[in-house]
Structure formats: structure tokens, C-alpha cells
Amino acid sequence: MASIFGHGLVAYTTSKLIDSKSSQLLLVLAIGSAIVPDLDVLAFKFGISYSHPFGHRGFTHSILFAILWSVLLSFLFGKNRKLIFAIVLFLSTLSHGVLDAMTSGGRGVGFFIPFENSRYFFPFRGIKVSPIGMEKFFSEWGISVLLSELKYIGIPCFLILITLHFAKKSKL
Ligand SMILES: [Zn+2]
């Protein structure tokens, strides 16, 4: 994974960009959805290997999972805005795998599980992979992860949010 900060920021930006009504609930669900795929690290505890379809960066990082998850949440919480909820949550969930596929370590992402079990990286892999577990994160490794995320995730998101902010202001 990238860190939870990187994943959360992309979801935050996605929600701000698409949801013109700025629903707080949708914002929280989007950030949660961008983090949820990494619950699959629990697979290691059950002895499921990394390369298994249900291993880390497997099914929960796939396009199918993003579809199922976003449809489920939009039906549970979307009320009369199900389509917007589904779009924001789909993109937020999928953004997790997309960021992971741009990280420098681990195995690739199983975007097409269960149809095809290959793992993928994008040609660009500038984001430093985040350590699994908190103790390791608060170390030098954690700092270099955050610096690479600041550059490749933080600055682009910040530019989008600032532009959005001024675009909204100029409409008032
Ligand atoms: Zn991940």
C-alpha cells in the first residue's frame, strides 16, 4: 500500500471533485473505502499467501471488488443520490489499487481477479511502498514514504483542491 494518508487524500479529493453537494457522509465513506482494501493483510494471519487470489493486493484490490463494494454502500447509504455515491465510492475504492500499482515494492495488484490472477504494476513506480504495521511506519522508512507521497499524491491533490476552491468562489 501507499500509506493510509495517501489513500485517504485521494478519496477526499475524489469526493470533493465529484460530489457538488459535499456530503459529509459520502466523504467519510470514500476515505474508508480507499483504506478498506488493505484489510486483506489479515490474510497473512490465516496463512493465505501473497500471490493467492485472496492474498494481499488480491481480490479486495480488484475492479470487481470496487464495483460490488460501491454498489453495496450506495444502496445502504445513498438514499436519493445512489448514482453519485456509487461513482465516488467506486473511484475511491479503485484508487487504492491504482496507487498500490505505482509503489516501489511488494507484489503487483490483482486488478482482474477472479477472472485472471496476474498481478500488475504501472510503468511509473515512484511511490515508496508503505511498511505493513505501525511500529515500522514511525521510522525513517515511514518518513521517506510520506515524502514520496507528498510529491506524487499530496501536491497533485492539493492543486486540484485549490483550483476547485477558487472555481467555487468565482461562482458565488
Ligand atoms: Zn493495498
Side-chain angles (χ1 to χ4, degrees), residues 13-171:
T13 308
T14 305
S15 187
K16 287 282 177 195
L17 198 60
I18 296 175
D19 178 19
S20 56
K21 291 196 177 151
S22 304
S23 152
Q24 289 290 325
L25 173 63
L26 181 51
L27 194 61
V28 170
L29 289 174
I31 293 170
S33 296
I35 296 168
V36 127
D38 270 344
L39 289 183
D40 66 4
V41 293
L42 291 174
F44 289 128
K45 291 216 164 71
F46 294 106
I48 298 172
S49 71
Y50 206 137
S51 50
H52 188 277
F54 285 104
H56 185 42
R57 290 185 172 176
F59 178 67
T60 59
H61 290 57
S62 71
I63 296 170
L64 182 68
F65 176 82
I67 294 172
L68 295 176
W69 176 256
S70 56
V71 167
L72 176 72
L73 287 191
S74 61
F75 269 93
L76 289 176
F77 301 104
K79 295 196 179 125
N80 56 355
R81 304 188 68 225
K82 289 190 179 63
L83 184 62
I84 288 290
F85 268 59
I87 292 170
V88 170
L89 295 175
F90 170 73
L91 292 175
S92 300
T93 312
L94 192 64
S95 75
H96 182 107
V98 169
L99 287 188
D100 276 3
M102 294 192 278
T103 56
S104 58
R107 305 260 169 91
V109 176
F111 285 114
F112 303 108
I113 291 171
F115 307 105
E116 200 249 323
N117 197 25
S118 305
R119 300 300 185 93
Y120 295 89
F121 278 114
F122 290 128
F124 170 81
R125 292 179 63 188
I127 300 171
K128 287 226 165 67
V129 74
S130 186
I132 294 168
M134 269 299 146
E135 303 102 75
K136 280 197 213 142
F137 189 78
F138 290 103
S139 64
E140 261 174 64
W141 191 10
I143 291 170
S144 71
V145 167
L146 285 180
L147 282 179
S148 82
E149 292 191 355
L150 193 66
K151 190 154 105 194
Y152 296 115
I153 305 173
I155 291 174
C157 285
F158 180 73
L159 289 177
I160 293 171
L161 290 170
I162 277 275
T163 310
L164 207 61
H165 178 75
F166 284 110
K168 270 191 186 155
K169 261 200 168 164
S170 65
K171 267 193 216 155

